Amino acid sequence: MAEFPTSARVVIIGGGAVGASALYHLAKAGWTDAVLLEKNELTAGSTWHAAGNVPTFSSSWSIMNMQRYSAQLYRGLGDAVDYPMNYHVTGSVRLGHSAERLREFQRVAGMGRYQGMDLDILGPDEVRSRYPFLETHDLSGALYDPYDGDIDPAQLTQALAKGARALGARIERFCPATGVRREGDEWIVQTPKGDIRCEIVVNAAGYYAREVGKWFGRDVPMMVMSHQYMLFDTIPELAQWTAEVGHKLPLLRDVDSSYYLRQEKMGFNLGPYERNCRAHWVTKDDPFPEDFSFQLFPDDLERLEWYIADAMARVPLLEKAALTKVINGPIPYTPDGNPLIGPMPGVPNAFEACVFTFGICQAGGAGKVLAEWVTEGATEWDMWSCDPRRFTGFEDQDYCVKKGMEVYGHEYAIGFPHHAWPEGRDKKLSVVHERTKALGAVYGAYNGWERALWYARPGDDASEEGTQTWRREGPWFGAVREECLAVRDAAGILDLPGFSRFRISGAGTIDWLTRQITGKVPAVGRLGLGYFADDKGRIVTEMSISRIAEDEVLLITAATAQSHDRDWLQSHLDPGLTFREETDLWSCQILTGPKSRAILAEVTKADLTKPWLTWQEADIGGARVMLMRVSFAGELGWEIHSRTEDTASVWEIVMRAGTGHGLRPFGMFALNSLRIEKGYRAWKGDLSTDYTVLQGGLDRFVDWTKPDFRGKAALAAEQQRGVTKRFVTLTAQVGDCDPPYMSTLWHNGEVVGETTSAYWGHRTGACVALGMLRADLAQAGTALEIEVFGTRYPALVQGDGPIWDPKNERIRA
Ligand SMILES: Cc1cc2nc3c(=O)[nH]c(=O)nc-3n(C[C@H](O)[C@H](O)[C@H](O)COP(=O)(O)OP(=O)(O)OC[C@H]3O[C@@H](n4cnc5c(N)ncnc54)[C@H](O)[C@@H]3O)c2cc1C
């Protein structure tokens, strides 16, 4: 027997489907000096008892990418590693009971086709041809996914393990990691068999991930649900039908009723995501177990009764079968239900690939993504939806439990664009929260911060139910229009708590920052946008840079980017520079619109003639504030940055001064409309690592004269080759819904691009979309089509500049 390894380049903690896939992909990338530690036998966590469904369906582009990759990988894996597996590609039908649900299917089918998958929408009558035993009288239609199927999770894990071993990677079973410590640049992973010294550690510990995270000082945002499926005995009619047609039934998902029903041998497997769900290991009398290997929870059929009855009404054949077995196992959830794959926030050379809710269908893709993070420091697809840094530390256990249960209970719910589920709110409140609330604010959470989305007028429906629609004109629409027009004609104020703020100072600051961003660092007293590219020239992040002094800058970035941007800056910081986070010290009001100067003039003696993209210190009612002359709304305006303790008085003084000038509070929905008309990109929608800085149309933020900056070589090579895709603004004559993210753009019957954001522009009276288009078509006046929920509508490429105030005259006024 080989000796226990005392060193390795990478140690993976956890031998479920995900850990095994991570090891396999690392080995395939040539990183064979990798060891996987499993405390018990491989699959002992959630993997052994998983149902093994392998859908490709997702309303998230990146997760669909991951699942599509998994399905492709699994098809060839048995042969590739010489380990035959039970993988049945049965296809699936996903039932729709409403027009809104069918729109979801159309959207996902559109994305799927763009990823090369032939997903199909079936009418109620066609569903029966795929699934003969179905009651269809109350259906609106279905989505057919020919790639869906089920795999034996244990065989999958063993196949991945075999492939990894064959390439030289090692697996130590019955060998728990018991702790880690840092020595110099190395991690020491402790086990009862001895220490392993390594460069990189991966937490792939499934529902134990929180315990493992603690060793790194990391509070993994997660909780554990109990999830059940039921196995039903052989049904002779089903056996006979299967013998006749020579294949199994497609997997059935009744998503509006919230369960799947799969043919299992000649019987069924029924798996609900029930509303009356149950969390485990969250109370003192139900502590987290030291070890739960190969164990299950007791059956809890009471919770499932409604679902069994519903499934029997849908597929009456099920009534004939005896229930033979219930599997009730632990399944981990993050607060948004997506897994954690990527860098462990704030911890060097440590990664996470854990907390998977759909870890069988995602294992393949997750292994690829994790291996890319480890070996290249970046991933092929933008994976923000799964990036551990999307959580920032405010997610305490109570929050994780509430959100996890909420996601589980709505696992199949439609992700409407204006809707958010109500749990876990009011985690962080602006100091003027009560005041904006009194004015009718309806809030949304941004990194835990409550920000006004819109201001409801008397009689407006501000209910959560009111937002469960794809339609543009929900209850908020009229109010948002008034807010936008107030910003256009008079002035608006938006209370914007939660910006992430980092101050960097010391000799060499500017030289360092010049190497980090693609463009120029502004002069003292000025501010501007800085784009941070990766080595491939792709857009990592965008920050506003205020030059405070010769050797000092203040970087302000999105609330949700807090952990991401902090990690990026700190991990690239030159030694000797001082880094200070000031996120909690300050807050911000956006004051914008043609009357904003007159309003400010009443409350401060600051020089309000200072040009666009300058900042100055000013006094408002005795409070020292920073006035930054910028407006994401694209009008004359200032951001008023005040110390948190001064913010309430500043807000009140400005509001009072605004009364005579038509000042009106506005919210994030209006800001979205205004910024899209102005062609201003939003991070992780329009700006992501799916695009390079040049594709993103950010050429004017690239300073080629600089000797070097991160990504320069790649961007220069791209420039030389010719940029193949270009950022464009479009106007679209769509129906009653604005195009969701990744709606496809068509030209001469071919897909030639996609939207990255779209919204109704109230100033321009048009549906405005931002997107990426094949470069040869990216010229003003090109007529395109845009596919929205399966229908193609005319769209027109606009000129180089934004469609609102293309010469920036209003903003510079
Ligand atoms: C009833 C049920 C049905 C499901 N059906 C599906 C399905 O149809 N499709 C789907 O995609 N997903 C399904 N899932 C979810 C799926 O099971 C999980 O998402 C998946 O198994 C997670 O894999 P993993 O490798 O991340 O974690 P796990 O399989 O839990 O693996 C983690 C491993 O880490 C090991 N470990 C923990 N701590 C240590 C340590 N300190 N040292 C060494 N090893 C350690 C554990 O022993 C464990 O083996 C289902 C879950 C349940 C409960």
Side-chain angles (χ1 to χ4, degrees), residues 14 16 18 38-39 46-47 49 51-53 177 208 227 356 358-361:
V18 174
E38 167 52 52
K39 67 194 280 179
S46 287
T47 295
H49 57 62
N53 301 329
Y208 299 88
H227 178 46
F356 280 78
F358 295 102
I360 307 306
C361 66

Side-chain angles (χ1 to χ4, degrees), residues 12-21 36-55 67 74 149-151 153 157 172 174-179 189-191 203-209 211-212 215 225-229 251 253 260 262 269 271 273 288 290-294 296-297 327-332 339 353-363 408:
I12 297 172
I13 301 173
V18 174
S21 177
L36 182 150
L37 300 176
E38 167 52 52
K39 67 194 280 179
N40 196 285
E41 180 54 272
L42 293 178
T43 76
S46 287
T47 295
W48 70 278
H49 57 62
N53 301 329
V54 185
Q67 296 179 173
Y74 301 168
D150 61 271
I151 198 162
T157 310
E172 294 294 325
F174 300 100
C175 183
T178 53
V189 180
Q190 296 147 358
T191 86
N203 177 356
Y207 55 77
Y208 299 88
E211 309 308 303
V212 170
W215 305 334
M225 295 296 298
S226 111
H227 178 46
Q228 308 183 73
Y229 61 84
L251 190 145
R253 282 192 190 79
Y260 68 83
R262 184 176 100 194
N269 170 341
Y273 288 91
F288 189 81
E290 178 79 11
D291 186 29
F292 201 70
S293 300
F294 293 114
L296 293 172
F297 301 124
I327 301 285
N328 184 3
I331 188 166
C354 50
V355 200
F356 280 78
T357 297
F358 295 102
I360 307 306
C361 66
Q362 292 170 357
Y408 181 97

Side-chain angles (χ1 to χ4, degrees), residues 430 432 435-436 439 441 443 451-455 482-488 490-497 587-596 599-600 603 620 627 631 633 635-642 647-659 661-671 674:
S430 156
V432 298
R435 293 165 171 91
T436 52
L439 295 171
Y443 298 94
R451 289 179 177 171
L453 298 173
W454 62 290
Y455 282 83
E482 287 179 11
E483 291 168 25
C484 289
L485 299 188
V487 169
R488 179 193 69 187
I493 185 166
L494 171 57
D495 178 45
L496 209 58
S587 195
C588 175
Q589 313 294 320
I590 290 186
L591 176 68
T592 185
K595 300 283 176 59
S596 52
I599 296 170
L600 267 189
V603 303
I620 297 183
L627 285 183
S631 167
E635 298 288 345
L636 172 69
W638 284 263
E639 287 179 1
I640 309 172
H641 296 264
S642 49
T647 298
S649 74
V650 168
W651 184 87
E652 266 175 11
I653 291 168
V654 174
M655 284 298 280
R656 222 173 301 131
T659 350
H661 298 278
L663 178 66
R664 195 184 160 127
F666 70 106
M668 300 300 286
F669 288 171
L671 187 65
L674 297 161

Side-chain angles (χ1 to χ4, degrees), residues 266-288:
M266 296 305 146
F268 280 111
N269 170 341
L270 174 62
Y273 288 91
E274 66 282 14
R275 290 277 148 82
N276 48 334
C277 52
R278 163 124 203 242
H280 264 286
W281 305 329
V282 292
T283 54
K284 285 214 167 62
D285 54 358
D286 181 23
F288 189 81

Side-chain angles (χ1 to χ4, degrees), residues 150-164:
D150 61 271
I151 198 162
D152 180 318
Q155 290 178 344
L156 168 66
T157 310
Q158 295 297 348
L160 291 163
K162 183 172 182 209

